[in-house]
Amino acid sequence: MDEIKLQIKGREQDAYTIHYSCSGFYNGGAYAPAICSIAAVNYGTRELYTFALNNYLIQGKSLIESEQLMLKDFVDFYQNLSNPIFVHWNMDGLEYGFNAIRARAENFGLCDFNLTKIKDYNLSAVFHTNLITSLEQNNCKRITVLYGRDEAICFNKRAFETVTMSTEGKALGLVDLFEKYISNNLAEDDDIYC
């Protein structure tokens, strides 16, 4: 992971922390569960970009239309980035993360989400704990964040704003956690391996 420090230096404007929330993998079923929200934070500017169902639902769109519009807006955002670097927590799996977003986008006919231009770093490879514990141990938890299972429960109860807030909280927390990792200013009791 030390290569990330070299990759980011001078490219802070191209780096984004990213997190997403979905209806969950906990009940089996869909390869690509419905996406509730995606949050990205520019590492250089600290600007937050949020793509969330509730932004479209309040316009009177259906759940399906809202997800399709949200994913289209995210794909458009992604396509306008030049050689982005994504810092994330466990979004590189075969059935979740970037691949789940891509698969869900393809379900809506958005087939131009090209993953080949993604350069990504999985911060979970650095920590022995889960994301929420790592955020707490390093004082990087600014707002309420939920575990994935709790986000799925909120999704099923249509509490989309709560899920979005949690997604944003994780993306914002990842910026602070990444900053501490880059500056070697992590909590002393956190087990780190590289």
Side-chain angles (χ1 to χ4, degrees), residues 116-176:
T116 59
K117 88 178 191 182
I118 288 181
K119 179 147 191 82
D120 71 291
Y121 293 98
N122 185 353
L123 271 185
S124 73
V126 181
F127 297 87
H128 287 287
T129 60
N130 63 52
L131 174 57
I132 293 176
T133 301
S134 295
L135 294 175
E136 288 172 346
Q137 287 177 344
N138 288 282
N139 296 319
C140 297
K141 190 174 135 187
R142 296 190 222 168
I143 57 178
T144 301
V145 293
L146 304 171
Y147 288 96
R149 184 176 300 275
D150 296 325
E151 288 175 346
I153 291 168
C154 288
F155 182 95
N156 291 332
K157 292 181 177 180
R158 300 181 66 89
F160 304 122
E161 297 86 2
T162 302
V163 178
T164 299
M165 183 178 69
S166 177
T167 307
E168 290 173 340
K170 290 174 182 176
L172 290 164
L174 281 169
V175 169
D176 293 340

Side-chain angles (χ1 to χ4, degrees), residues 19 34 38 63 67 70 74 79 93 135 137 149 151-152 160 164 178 183 185 187 192:
H19 203 74
I38 304 168
L63 192 59
E67 185 182 8
M70 174 193 65
F74 175 73
Q79 289 178 331
L135 294 175
Q137 287 177 344
R149 184 176 300 275
E151 288 175 346
F160 304 122
T164 299
F178 184 57
S183 67
N185 192 23
I192 307 293

Side-chain angles (χ1 to χ4, degrees), residues 64 77 142 177:
I64 298 295
F77 166 79
R142 296 190 222 168
L177 193 61

Side-chain angles (χ1 to χ4, degrees), residues 24 93 177 181 184:
L177 193 61
Y181 171 70
N184 294 319

Side-chain angles (χ1 to χ4, degrees), residues 6 36 52 72 77 82 90 107 109 112 131 147 184 193:
L6 298 173
C36 183
K72 182 185 180 320
F77 166 79
S82 177
N90 277 339
N107 286 344
D112 48 1
L131 174 57
Y147 288 96
N184 294 319
Y193 61 94

Side-chain angles (χ1 to χ4, degrees), residues 4-18:
I4 191 171
K5 296 177 184 181
L6 298 173
Q7 296 278 333
I8 295 292
K9 190 166 178 77
R11 293 198 55 210
E12 291 84 359
Q13 304 293 337
D14 297 325
Y16 293 82
T17 59
I18 187 168

